[in-house]
Amino acid sequence: MKKNIYYSFAVLFCVFTSCSKSNNPEEPGKGGGGYVSGTYWPYTVNNTWYLVNTEDPNDKSDLIIHKELTYNGKTYYQFKPVGAIEGFELTDGFREDNGVFISLYGATSRMGTNTSAGTVIEVNTNLKVGEVFKDEVTLTVSGLASGTIKHINESKILEKAPSATINGKKYLDVIKIEVKHTAINSITGNTVIITYERWLAKGIGLIYEKTKYGELDIKEYSLLSYSVK
């Protein structure tokens, strides 16, 4: 099973390694696993998306929202981590604000090293096709090690399509986005760049994702089934 990318960034940059809107039960022709109006990715605890590698049917990825977090009075949602280190609690989360999707890097304190919290916009679905949006946040590291971790998101709307067919199922009102995420660790000198192409169906969420690590490692996953409310 694919390791959850939301967890992997926390591991990659360990310094010692040098809201959903009004609900409808279901709308015909929109997927069969529920529908939430007014959003491209419904964030509610227990919402689930089951995906499969487009080249390997045995490689599956389950995205499950399993808890809520609060930061600066705002509610964020966290995906259940896969392969997490025992005793290591994730503090990251995601939220939507009127079509703007925001990532939270929660504060951590581990093995004598503290990392501050911060938020960064991942994508603004209100932009026009071809428009580019950039946002960044710098987290401070202190304690046994000191420095910064900078997260930079550069996103672009690739297409707003009336429909898309994934694994034989037709989904309506699909937005295709690209997000280039750069993470720079001043302590280790490491820079990691990951580029995502995501297709989001209105009222349903993620139906397709292509992730590019560096230049050669590319993985693609497509939606098999889902459940949202």
Side-chain angles (χ1 to χ4, degrees), residues 67-135:
K67 67 186 295 186
E68 295 181 355
L69 304 170
T70 301
Y71 176 72
N72 282 348
K74 303 290 186 180
T75 299
Y76 290 79
Y77 296 88
Q78 186 180 97
F79 288 90
K80 185 176 182 179
V82 177
I85 299 172
E86 185 176 354
F88 180 74
E89 183 178 0
L90 275 182
T91 57
D92 296 347
F94 302 87
R95 68 182 297 265
E96 180 196 0
D97 185 3
N98 294 319
V100 178
F101 289 86
I102 303 163
S103 300
L104 164 67
Y105 295 97
T108 61
S109 182
R110 183 168 176 260
M111 298 176 64
T113 300
N114 308 306
T115 304
S116 65
T119 63
V120 62
I121 293 174
E122 182 167 310
V123 68
N124 183 350
T125 61
N126 301 305
L127 298 179
K128 297 178 181 179
V129 174
E131 283 193 271
V132 176
F133 182 86
K134 188 174 181 179
D135 195 22

Side-chain angles (χ1 to χ4, degrees), residues 167-227:
N167 291 321
K169 296 180 181 179
K170 184 177 181 180
Y171 300 93
L172 305 180
D173 195 351
V174 175
I175 188 169
K176 302 178 182 181
I177 61 177
E178 180 183 83
V179 180
K180 179 182 177 182
H181 181 102
T182 302
I184 305 169
N185 189 321
S186 72
I187 302 168
T188 64
N190 289 342
T191 296
V192 173
I193 300 175
I194 300 180
T195 303
Y196 309 91
E197 180 180 335
R198 294 188 178 121
W199 299 6
L200 305 176
K202 195 72 170 283
I204 292 170
L206 184 68
I207 62 172
Y208 169 83
E209 180 178 63
K210 178 169 68 174
T211 306
K212 183 178 180 182
Y213 307 85
E215 294 298 322
L216 298 177
D217 189 5
I218 299 175
K219 292 185 180 295
E220 297 180 61
Y221 290 84
S222 58
L223 187 67
L224 284 175
S225 63
Y226 71 96
S227 175

Side-chain angles (χ1 to χ4, degrees), residues 11-28:
V11 175
L12 280 171
F13 280 84
C14 175
V15 295
F16 294 110
T17 61
S18 283
C19 350
S20 297
K21 311 268 176 38
S22 60
N23 297 339
N24 296 316
E26 185 174 320
E27 290 194 9

